[in-house]
Amino acid sequence: MDVITILGTALGAAWTSGINLYATVAVLGLLQRFGFVSRLPGGLEVLDNWWIIGVALFLYAVEFFADKIPYVDTVWDAVHTFIRVPAGAIIALAATTDLDPSIQVVALLIGGGLALSTHGTKATVRAGANLSPEPVTNWTLSLVEDVFAVGAVVLAVLHPVVVLVLILIFLLILAWILPKVVRRLRKMVAAALAFFRGKAPA
């Protein structure tokens, strides 16, 4: 397996983890389990275990419904700031275990950054949608996110170069909207810390 393929899969999976971690893990496992790919790169090959796939699908189902309820989705995203981002970094690292250790470290850092960028963007957009009194916008965004996450992780495995190009385009757009994303992430982290302490956020 060449380096571009490995990096495309690693970074693509880290990227989608920031949107929907559980769908990413489940799809990776199912792609290998049903033979769409002979072997996932590095340590990702363990994801075709039915226990891992089952747990990921169960958590995806929980997220599917939580993500459709205004304000519940915001709390869910706030808590998942501490789950999706490190998981994205770990997935990128696991995918590159067959490569040089220096590349693994770079993949770990970039993977975490990509997961943070998509998670922050998703959370910012969804928080804005919650200001709307009708639920349709929220549901639509959630479904689009699910479809995008699944589609992008499939592309990451089957067409890694395409995903690398999409990531580059996304990062260019993100550079333009970054200030808003950073401000929203700060509020989310503060809300999550308040939640863990049992206090209502200010």
Side-chain angles (χ1 to χ4, degrees), residues 130-185:
N130 282 337
L131 298 176
S132 173
E134 42 77 30
V136 177
T137 302
N138 196 283
W139 297 343
T140 302
L141 283 172
S142 181
L143 290 171
V144 169
E145 290 161 4
D146 290 345
V147 171
F148 179 84
V150 171
V153 77
V154 170
L155 269 180
V157 174
L158 302 182
H159 303 285
V161 175
V162 175
V163 164
L164 289 175
V165 172
L166 290 177
I167 290 174
L168 179 59
I169 294 171
F170 168 78
L171 291 176
L172 291 173
I173 296 172
L174 181 64
W176 179 53
I177 64 171
L178 189 59
K180 292 181 180 179
V181 173
V182 170
R183 284 196 296 270
R184 184 61 204 169
L185 275 177

Side-chain angles (χ1 to χ4, degrees), residues 3-128:
V3 175
I4 295 298
T5 298
I6 293 173
L7 288 179
T9 301
L11 299 182
W15 190 45
T16 59
S17 292
I19 301 172
N20 196 314
L21 170 64
Y22 308 123
T24 296
V25 172
V27 170
L28 286 171
L30 289 169
L31 285 172
Q32 182 170 290
R33 169 59 67 173
F34 289 106
F36 291 99
V37 59
S38 58
R39 176 183 175 271
L40 291 170
L44 293 184
E45 63 179 337
V46 303
L47 297 181
D48 73 348
N49 180 288
W50 276 119
W51 281 104
I52 295 175
I53 294 171
V55 170
L57 287 174
F58 171 75
L59 291 171
Y60 168 71
V62 173
E63 179 164 279
F64 182 86
F65 291 104
D67 215 34
K68 306 295 184 294
I69 305 172
Y71 299 105
V72 171
D73 65 332
T74 299
V75 173
W76 184 269
D77 283 339
V79 173
H80 276 73
T81 301
F82 304 98
I83 300 174
R84 292 175 186 149
V85 177
I90 291 169
I91 286 174
L93 175 64
T96 56
T97 52
D98 293 335
L99 301 179
D100 185 90
S102 61
I103 297 178
Q104 294 177 41
V105 173
V106 172
L108 173 73
L109 296 173
I110 296 177
L114 287 173
L116 177 62
S117 68
T118 48
H119 170 70
T121 304
K122 166 191 165 93
T124 300
V125 172
R126 296 299 293 279

